[in-house]
Amino acid sequence: MSKELIENAAAMVAYPKGILAADESSPTLTKRFAVNRLESTALTRRDWRETLFSSPGLGEYVSGVILYDETFNQTTTTGLSFPDFLADLGMLPGIKVDTGAKPLAGADGELVTEGLDNLGPRLIDYYAKGARFAKWRAVLQIDRGKPSAVCIQANTHALARYAKLCQESGIVPIVEPEILMEGDHDLAMTSRVAKTVLAAVFDQLRSFDVTLSGMVLKPSMITPGTNGPTASPKAIAEASVECYRDVVPASVAGIALLSGGQSDEAATANLAAMNEIEALPWPITFSFGRALQDTPMKVWASSGQDRQQTQTSLMTRITTTASVLRPRHLISV
Ligand code: 13P
């Protein structure tokens, strides 16, 4: 496996950095803009993202930014492509390559993430335009009989095919099996489901001979359901790390967590508690979307799209989040 791939995977999770997930599809970003009474056009989406990415000092805490195809192919006001703009600032450009979660045939409302058609040539094109990592998100829900075995199988198989195609194109795959928080289940139930799902993910990755040191795992934190009994950050961190230790091989470059709709404070407190645990075999960092962007987006809206105030708000979120990370030599024994 290429040296570049392994180096880029390590750089994505290197202390004291994490990943900024800014790859909302245009319909999803339109919904988030609507909550803040912001108009959504290709131009306003570009301005929002350019404002975030040009925040002074961002590259000190952000190793890479996940882009959506629209942004990836847009140019900044200075006339650069977004991948070139990020690379010039020392951040790795990433690209979301799945085409979304669609109903899985025969599986009572469950979803399978699509996007494998033509993925090989698309990845070659993305690499040529500067992408150095990619993302594919599978979504699984916890409910009676869910996630079903067939849903786990279909999603993990697709994740592994995607990951292998990425590595063949010199692109680091972020493998993201998200277990949604909706439901009234408890922490133990999420932990059981996550172990089953993550074990299936690594079985499939092994079947496709994916190099684990050239990938980043992006799981959800092990939390209770949103309507389930609450749990402390310590309990969430212990359940998460116990689960990952059981099923995530030490050779994986790192774990970059999604925030999944938790408040920014909750996501950061849970990340902090995980980083307090000694002797982790991998770095555990952030790859948050909403937990980094929700507050700055409110500022963007209320300030009449003031760049400086919005960037200050983003940098406060980023530095607060990155400050809970601990360097590897303090983590491992
Ligand atoms: P959230 O942190 O908002 O869950 O987004 C991260 C992400 O990339 C989801 O696919």
Side-chain angles (χ1 to χ4, degrees):
M1 196 43 63
S2 90
K3 197 165 158 266
E4 184 199 20
L5 198 72
I6 291 166
E7 283 174 357
N8 283 340
M12 286 162 67
V13 292
Y15 177 81
K17 298 183 187 181
I19 297 164
L20 171 60
D23 60 319
E24 303 84 3
S25 66
S26 300
T28 298
L29 188 56
T30 298
K31 277 188 221 145
R32 303 218 171 127
F33 272 5
V35 172
N36 292 285
R37 297 177 189 278
L38 289 162
E39 188 194 6
S40 181
T41 66
L43 209 59
T44 60
R45 293 191 290 271
R46 184 202 68 169
D47 287 349
W48 160 245
R49 278 151 173 171
E50 185 174 335
T51 299
L52 295 182
F53 307 161
S54 53
S55 301
L58 189 69
E60 284 174 45
Y61 305 100
V62 168
S63 57
V65 178
I66 320 176
L67 302 170
Y68 182 57
D69 182 77
E70 178 184 74
T71 319
F72 193 89
N73 288 303
Q74 283 176 325
T75 45
T76 62
T77 44
T78 52
L80 286 172
S81 75
F82 271 95
D84 288 349
F85 180 76
L86 290 170
D88 283 356
L89 291 168
M91 291 178 273
L92 291 167
I95 178 73
K96 168 194 171 77
V97 297
D98 68 68
T99 55
K102 310 283 162 58
L104 174 63
D108 186 28
E110 291 185 292
L111 303 172
V112 62
T113 300
E114 297 189 343
L116 288 170
D117 288 354
N118 215 29
L119 182 58
R122 283 169 58 216
L123 288 166
I124 290 168
D125 189 47
Y126 280 133
Y127 184 92
K129 291 178 178 160
R132 291 297 175 265
F133 71 95
K135 175 190 122 171
W136 180 291
R137 169 179 176 258
V139 266
L140 300 114
Q141 62 179 120
I142 299 181
D143 202 348
R144 282 169 177 268
K146 295 178 184 171
S148 66
V150 73
C151 176
I152 294 172
Q153 191 201 7
N155 276 293
T156 56
H157 182 259
L159 272 171
R161 283 184 62 192
Y162 141 82
K164 189 63 180 178
L165 279 169
C166 283
Q167 292 192 335
E168 285 178 350
S169 309
I171 289 182
V172 176
I174 292 185
V175 172
E176 180 178 353
E178 176 172 4
I179 297 167
L180 298 174
M181 296 198 312
E182 281 75 27
D184 54 14
H185 47 277
D186 63 8
L187 191 64
M189 169 63 99
T190 309
S191 182
R192 276 197 298 278
V193 170
K195 269 184 207 173
T196 305
V197 169
L198 289 171
V201 166
F202 284 98
D203 277 351
Q204 291 280 357
L205 292 171
R206 245 186 306 274
S207 304
F208 283 89
D209 196 27
V210 169
T211 301
L212 301 184
S213 54
M215 64 158 272
V216 170
L217 180 71
K218 178 166 172 168
S220 28
M221 300 181 187
I222 311 296
T223 63
T226 36
N227 296 319
T230 55
S232 66
K234 188 165 184 283
I236 289 171
E238 283 173 0
S240 300
V241 168
E242 188 208 291
C243 168
Y244 307 150
R245 271 194 208 279
D246 274 358
V247 284
V248 181
S251 49
V252 167
I255 294 180
L257 297 156
L258 60 92
S259 62
Q262 301 178 79
S263 70
D264 39 26
E265 288 89 357
T268 304
N270 295 337
L271 179 66
M274 285 184 223
N275 272 274
E276 289 296 315
I277 296 174
E278 297 296 327
L280 299 174
W282 356 249
I284 297 189
T285 187
F286 59 91
S287 176
F288 295 166
R290 283 163 285 182
L292 292 173
Q293 292 184 61
D294 279 358
T295 305
M297 192 182 286
K298 286 194 186 84
V299 174
W300 178 244
S302 64
S303 66
Q305 285 92 73
D306 183 87
R307 279 199 158 208
Q308 211 182 337
Q309 288 182 46
T310 306
Q311 291 177 342
T312 302
S313 169
L314 176 69
M315 289 311 295
T316 301
R317 284 299 340 137
I318 296 264
T319 51
T320 305
T321 307
S323 73
V324 308
L325 303 174
R326 291 175 71 204
R328 261 328 260 300
H329 68 272
L330 288 183
I331 298 171
S332 39
V333 286

